[in-house]
Amino acid sequence: MRGGNFLRFFKRFKTAVILFLLIFPLGIFCAENLTLSKALEYAEKNCYPAQIGKLEIENARENISESLSLYYPKIVFSLGHIHLDNDPAFKFGPMIFPAGEQLFWKWDFTLNYTIWDFGRRSRIVESYKKGESAVSMKVASDVKIKQVEVTALYMQALTLRDQIDVVNQRKKSMEEHLKTAQNLYEQGVVTRNDVLRTEVALRTLEDQMRTLESAQKNVLDSLKKAIGFSIEEELSLSDPTKRTTEDDNRFLYKIPSSEEALKEKILAQNEGLKALQMKIDSLNEVYNFTKKDYYPYFVGALGHSYEQNRYMAYPHVNKLYLGISFNVFDGGARKSKIAQARIEMEKAQREKLEAEKEVVLKGFEAYRDCLDAIEEYKTAKLNVQSSSENLRIIEDQYKEGLLKTTDFLEAETIYSESRFKEIESLHKIVIAQAKVAAMTGDDLKTYLSEEY
């Protein structure tokens, strides 16, 4: 009875069961669809600079907490059992009087507080706060540099994928041409050389295919490592350049209008330069509070102590202390600390000046690469159209016996090179734009998602 019910159920839902059995394994083993925006997000979370940066920021915040502790009193408690080799005693001439125990307990509770230090604490706190800001800015800069690397790897993988598609199309075209050459050879229209040259070209394409596939695997492995994925994970990349509009000038909308505008934006918004300026400000605070080491401290102390001693009338003692603490002579240690602080500040200022030059130069390079890639893409599009029409004409003439295989192979090579250049230049635009965005302090995820 149960078997009959199962058969009736299976017959009723046979189509649904079969579809489930076919689709379910595909859902398990399908590759993850990775967009450029997702890749940048993964890089921001999982890349080495981001992970180390979290620890560096946490350490900088702990430095701030440590400096804030200088505003709180220090409470010291001590407790112990004293063992003396002789009984304490006072001696007056020939007479000796006991003064304490040989074995006794003693404890002390003291609250120490710096009442005024001429601004040392405030300078130290401010220095660590600016240091924390500098670390945060540096981490943001390092992460963007890593995101640019991820963008380059992502687009290189797409370039290789599209070039593999071009080679596949070339192989199909070449196989069709081989059939045509063989037919014309059998008819006596062409010589056997036409067939042999086509076979050589086809084998060359197969070698090129293997080379491109190996290069694609290497780039994908590097991309997985950069975004924190395992090497074994399968990825399916989405091309962000697939747009319906044919307006090539759209690539110019986001980048600055001139190199002067680019330089101004870099100097104002680049996180690396901001980090160096924060570092200079932090070292300036260090320099200021080291100069205050020549000032005294106004200190106070409040405490209570007890000493086990049957000879003392008051074993419990309360104490209050107010006074000045001043380091009269330290052998030149303070002078050296001030000089070191000044040197570190001047080094940071020099470092920032050099960094400004370097970042501006790299920004100009990326900007020019972007403009060049845009023009190359425009030219490549025109070349694809021309070479495609040229290939069609030559193929028709070859079929009529007017041209040789070498003419067809040359035309086909020109067409494929134009396709390669079109793909490569389009993806180079994205990489160059990402570099410009990183230099100018823009968020790459927002920037590229708006552009593509």
Side-chain angles (χ1 to χ4, degrees):
M1 186 68 179
R2 290 181 180 176
N5 291 336
F6 175 78
L7 289 174
R8 284 195 296 272
F9 173 81
F10 181 78
K11 290 178 180 178
R12 186 175 180 181
F13 298 100
K14 179 173 65 175
T15 303
V17 171
I18 293 173
L19 287 174
F20 175 79
L21 293 175
L22 290 174
I23 295 173
F24 181 71
L26 296 176
I28 295 177
F29 299 107
C30 65
E32 177 172 348
N33 184 23
L34 184 69
T35 63
L36 178 56
S37 181
K38 280 185 180 180
L40 295 176
E41 185 177 345
Y42 285 132
E44 187 177 17
K45 293 178 181 177
N46 302 329
C47 70
Y48 179 77
Q51 298 295 326
I52 293 299
K54 289 178 183 178
L55 298 177
E56 291 178 348
I57 292 173
E58 183 180 352
N59 185 58
R61 289 171 180 168
E62 289 301 324
N63 288 335
I64 295 174
S65 299
E66 181 184 359
S67 63
L68 289 173
S69 69
L70 297 174
Y71 283 97
Y72 294 94
K74 301 296 184 291
I75 299 175
V76 181
F77 177 75
S78 60
L79 171 66
H81 194 261
I82 311 300
H83 296 254
L84 303 177
D85 57 350
N86 293 300
D87 290 331
F90 297 107
K91 182 177 181 181
F92 294 95
M95 302 180 63
I96 298 176
F97 301 95
E101 307 286 349
Q102 185 177 5
L103 306 175
F104 61 93
W105 288 93
K106 182 178 180 179
W107 60 267
D108 182 83
F109 180 86
T110 303
L111 184 149
N112 297 305
Y113 185 68
T114 301
I115 300 172
W116 179 242
D117 63 354
F118 291 90
R120 290 182 179 89
R121 289 174 293 193
S122 62
R123 294 288 186 179
I124 294 172
V125 172
E126 191 64 26
S127 170
Y128 281 127
K129 285 182 178 179
K130 291 179 178 178
E132 191 266 340
S133 298
V135 171
S136 299
M137 288 290 182
K138 183 179 181 302
V139 171
S141 177
D142 292 343
V143 169
K144 282 188 178 176
I145 292 172
K146 195 66 178 180
Q147 286 179 319
V148 171
E149 178 186 338
V150 167
T151 303
L153 291 171
Y154 190 97
M155 300 312 297
Q156 287 171 13
L158 288 177
T159 300
L160 291 166
R161 186 187 72 181
D162 291 348
Q163 289 177 346
I164 289 172
D165 291 340
V166 171
V167 173
N168 273 323
Q169 293 172 9
R170 290 183 65 192
K171 281 184 64 179
K172 293 178 181 178
S173 174
M174 198 68 67
E175 288 169 353
E176 291 295 326
H177 179 74
L178 179 59
K179 293 178 182 178
T180 301
Q182 288 173 340
N183 290 332
L184 293 176
Y185 171 65
E186 291 173 358
Q187 296 172 15
V189 177
V190 297
T191 63
R192 189 165 178 267
N193 287 342
D194 283 30
V195 177
L196 295 175
R197 286 173 182 171
T198 305
E199 290 176 347
V200 170
L202 191 58
R203 285 192 289 269
T204 302
L205 284 178
E206 291 173 352
D207 290 339
Q208 186 180 11
M209 174 71 75
R210 283 192 294 271
T211 302
L212 289 173
E213 288 176 345
S214 297
Q216 185 189 31
K217 290 177 182 178
N218 293 335
V219 172
L220 283 174
D221 288 345
S222 298
L223 176 62
K224 293 172 191 175
K225 177 179 177 295
I227 62 177
F229 280 28
S230 64
I231 303 299
E232 294 77 16
E233 190 157 356
E234 294 294 327
L235 293 180
S236 175
L237 305 185
S238 299
D239 193 343
T241 61
K242 300 299 183 184
R243 302 261 306 229
T244 56
T245 177
E246 293 296 327
D247 180 17
D248 295 332
N249 291 324
R250 71 184 186 271
F251 300 119
L252 298 171
Y253 297 157
K254 295 287 288 186
I255 62 175
S257 57
S258 65
E259 292 186 0
E260 290 74 16
L262 174 66
K263 179 179 179 180
E264 182 179 349
K265 195 172 182 181
I266 288 175
L267 295 178
Q269 299 182 14
N270 183 267
E271 277 96 345
L273 298 180
K274 287 182 179 179
L276 288 173
Q277 184 57 52
M278 289 290 183
K279 179 182 177 181
I280 292 171
D281 295 341
S282 175
L283 291 173
N284 184 52
E285 295 294 339
V286 173
Y287 177 62
N288 287 330
F289 79 68
T290 52
K291 290 192 294 184
K292 292 181 179 293
D293 280 347
Y294 285 106
Y295 291 76
Y297 290 87
F298 288 94
V299 297
L302 178 67
H304 180 85
S305 62
Y306 166 78
E307 180 178 326
Q308 183 183 8
N309 191 340
R310 66 177 181 273
Y311 300 105
M312 294 180 64
Y314 305 103
H316 290 273
V317 177
N318 295 316
K319 54 187 177 182
L320 174 64
Y321 171 79
L322 296 173
I324 296 176
S325 175
F326 183 65
N327 189 353
V328 179
F329 180 73
D330 61 0
R334 284 173 292 190
K335 183 178 179 181
S336 296
K337 285 175 63 178
I338 293 172
Q340 289 172 356
R342 176 185 57 78
I343 292 170
E344 289 298 321
M345 185 174 63
E346 291 180 358
K347 282 172 59 180
Q349 290 171 343
R350 293 275 184 164
E351 183 181 358
K352 182 173 182 287
L353 290 174
E354 191 63 26
E356 286 178 351
K357 297 176 184 178
E358 185 70 20
V359 172
V360 169
L361 286 176
K362 288 183 177 179
F364 285 170
E365 181 181 351
Y367 182 75
R368 292 161 188 162
D369 286 344
C370 186
L371 296 180
D372 291 343
I374 292 172
E375 295 304 318
E376 288 174 4
Y377 175 63
K378 293 178 181 179
T379 303
K381 284 180 65 177
L382 296 174
N383 289 343
V384 168
Q385 296 173 4
S386 300
S387 60
S388 176
E389 179 64 13
N390 178 60
L391 178 61
R392 185 191 64 80
I393 294 171
I394 289 180
E395 188 173 11
D396 291 341
Q397 292 178 345
Y398 177 79
K399 290 178 180 179
E400 295 174 2
L402 301 176
L403 296 176
K404 296 182 179 180
T405 290
T406 52
D407 299 314
F408 172 82
L409 295 178
E410 182 182 359
E412 197 275 338
T413 300
I414 294 173
Y415 172 67
S416 63
E417 288 177 353
S418 299
R419 289 286 310 279
F420 270 44
K421 192 64 177 179
E422 180 187 25
I423 295 167
E424 184 181 7
S425 58
L426 178 58
H427 293 164
K428 278 175 64 179
I429 294 172
V430 182
I431 298 171
Q433 284 181 323
K435 290 179 181 179
V436 173
M439 295 294 176
T440 54
D442 292 315
D443 181 73
L444 264 67
K445 291 185 297 181
T446 304
Y447 182 95
L448 293 175
S449 63
E450 291 176 353
E451 180 67 14
Y452 301 103

